[in-house]
């Protein structure tokens, strides 16, 4: 059995590694998990002993095949819990992450499978994150572009909101930036601030927030599904 903390580290290595395509450094993990580098080092050592991560001095860590299985299992738990909370229990999409973060370590694969079954095997959670299948395959999320790379005048539909907590989700919900909703890029400032027009009005989003938002062109959205 792995502890909830170990599982959180594995999830962090998976998420950061996917984002950067590189080995994950101790300092990146410390930043992400909001702990000190020495804390990261001692936990990484434990994970290495269990064969879950592969560590190279000065280069950082990657997940082993076994570690990757653990990461996908937790993501399946997390994303199905978020789907269940919004669809079956009427939670708001911006209020489910922290709850799922706590529960993901404690639900069995059996319960997770039953949730999937009850929801009709959804391919994505309420934030557009793909849900690993029972065989731990990730459904293809399709091609998207980050809002941080958008240009003035573009009309876009939000496909996926990467997130680490309810705080940023609530911030975006208030700004009218919601999954599957349209927005228009009003302005992009030289240092990355993106101003968008949503149903809630005009909002300026800092670059680090705009980077979390994956979009598709609004036109594409209007086309009937093949
Ligand atoms: Zn989440």
């Amino acid at each position: 059995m792995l502890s909830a903390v170990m599982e959180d580290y594995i999830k962090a290595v998976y998420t950061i590694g996917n984002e950067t395509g590189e080995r994950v450094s101790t300092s990146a993990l410390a930043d992400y998990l909001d702990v000190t580098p020495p804390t990261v080092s001692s936990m990484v050592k434990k994970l290495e002993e269990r064969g879950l991560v592969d560590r190279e001095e000065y280069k950082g860590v990657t997940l082993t095949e076994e570690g990757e299985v653990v990461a996908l299992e937790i993501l399946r738990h997390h994303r199905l819990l978020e789907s269940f909370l919004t669809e079956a229990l009427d939670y708001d999409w911006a209020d489910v992450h922290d709850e799922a973060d706590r529960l993901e370590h404690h639900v069995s694969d059996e319960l997770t499978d039953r949730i999937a079954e009850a929801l009709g095997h959804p391919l994505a959670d309420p934030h557009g994150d793909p849900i690993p299948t029972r065989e731990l395959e990730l459904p293809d999320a399709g091609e998207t572009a980050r809002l941080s790379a958008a240009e003035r005048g573009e009309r876009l539909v939000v496909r996926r909101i990467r997130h680490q907590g309810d705080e940023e989700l609530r911030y975006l919900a208030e700004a009218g930036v919601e999954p599957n909703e349209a927005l228009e890029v009003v302005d992009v400032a030289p240092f990355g601030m993106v101003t968008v027009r949503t149903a809630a009005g005009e909002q300026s989003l800092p670059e680090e927030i705009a980077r979390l938002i994956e979009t598709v062109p609004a036109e594409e959205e209007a086309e009937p599904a093949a």
Side-chain angles (χ1 to χ4, degrees), residues 159-180:
R159 261 298 146 75
R160 179 175 182 183
I161 300 177
R162 295 181 183 250
H163 61 282
Q164 228 186 311
D166 284 342
E167 211 179 322
E168 61 219 25
L169 291 175
R170 287 196 196 112
Y171 171 81
L172 288 169
E174 229 158 86
V177 178
E178 304 199 14
N180 304 315

Side-chain angles (χ1 to χ4, degrees), residues 7-212:
E7 292 185 345
D8 282 341
Y9 270 77
I10 290 168
K11 205 169 60 163
V13 173
Y14 181 90
T15 306
I16 303 168
N18 251 16
E19 191 85 356
T20 61
E22 288 169 13
R23 282 181 170 266
V24 180
S25 68
T26 302
S27 62
L29 274 172
D31 266 2
Y32 189 88
L33 293 162
D34 204 14
V35 294
T36 64
T39 307
V40 171
S41 297
S42 77
M43 181 53 85
V44 162
K45 229 173 138 196
K46 282 186 203 161
L47 294 172
E48 192 186 20
E49 279 161 17
R50 288 181 175 236
L52 297 166
V53 301
D54 175 68
R55 184 173 57 114
E56 254 183 68
E57 204 144 7
Y58 308 119
K59 286 190 180 162
V61 296
T62 51
L63 294 177
T64 60
E65 221 167 283
E66 210 186 326
E68 184 140 339
V69 166
V70 174
L72 288 167
E73 276 170 354
I74 309 165
L75 287 180
R76 177 169 163 82
H77 289 185
H78 182 96
R79 292 173 181 175
L80 279 168
L81 283 163
E82 289 188 338
S83 302
F84 180 71
L85 292 169
T86 47
E87 284 183 36
L89 301 183
D90 269 345
Y91 272 72
D92 194 273
W93 65 270
D95 290 328
V96 290
H97 175 86
D98 292 354
E99 199 78 77
D101 244 4
R102 284 187 290 270
L103 293 170
E104 67 189 12
H105 309 291
H106 309 291
V107 290
S108 64
D109 290 340
E110 154 113 45
L111 176 57
T112 315
D113 289 346
R114 290 205 183 203
I115 289 173
E117 177 96 54
L119 298 177
H121 302 283
L123 298 176
D125 74 11
H127 311 114
D129 287 324
I131 300 174
T133 63
R134 202 159 176 243
E135 291 71 37
L136 300 183
E137 274 154 21
L138 270 179
D140 182 11
E143 206 159 304
T144 59
R146 302 293 175 113
L147 181 59
S148 48
E151 282 169 31
R152 181 201 297 222
E154 278 191 90
R155 288 178 56 250
L156 305 165
V157 171
V158 177
R159 261 298 146 75
R160 179 175 182 183
I161 300 177
R162 295 181 183 250
H163 61 282
Q164 228 186 311
D166 284 342
E167 211 179 322
E168 61 219 25
L169 291 175
R170 287 196 196 112
Y171 171 81
L172 288 169
E174 229 158 86
V177 178
E178 304 199 14
N180 304 315
E181 293 293 321
L183 55 80
E184 189 183 335
V185 180
V186 176
D187 195 25
V188 182
F191 296 106
M193 178 84 85
V194 181
T195 303
V196 295
R197 187 179 298 121
T198 68
E202 268 188 29
Q203 308 287 338
S204 291
L205 307 171
E207 200 271 340
E208 65 263 31
I209 293 286
R211 200 163 7 106
L212 302 174

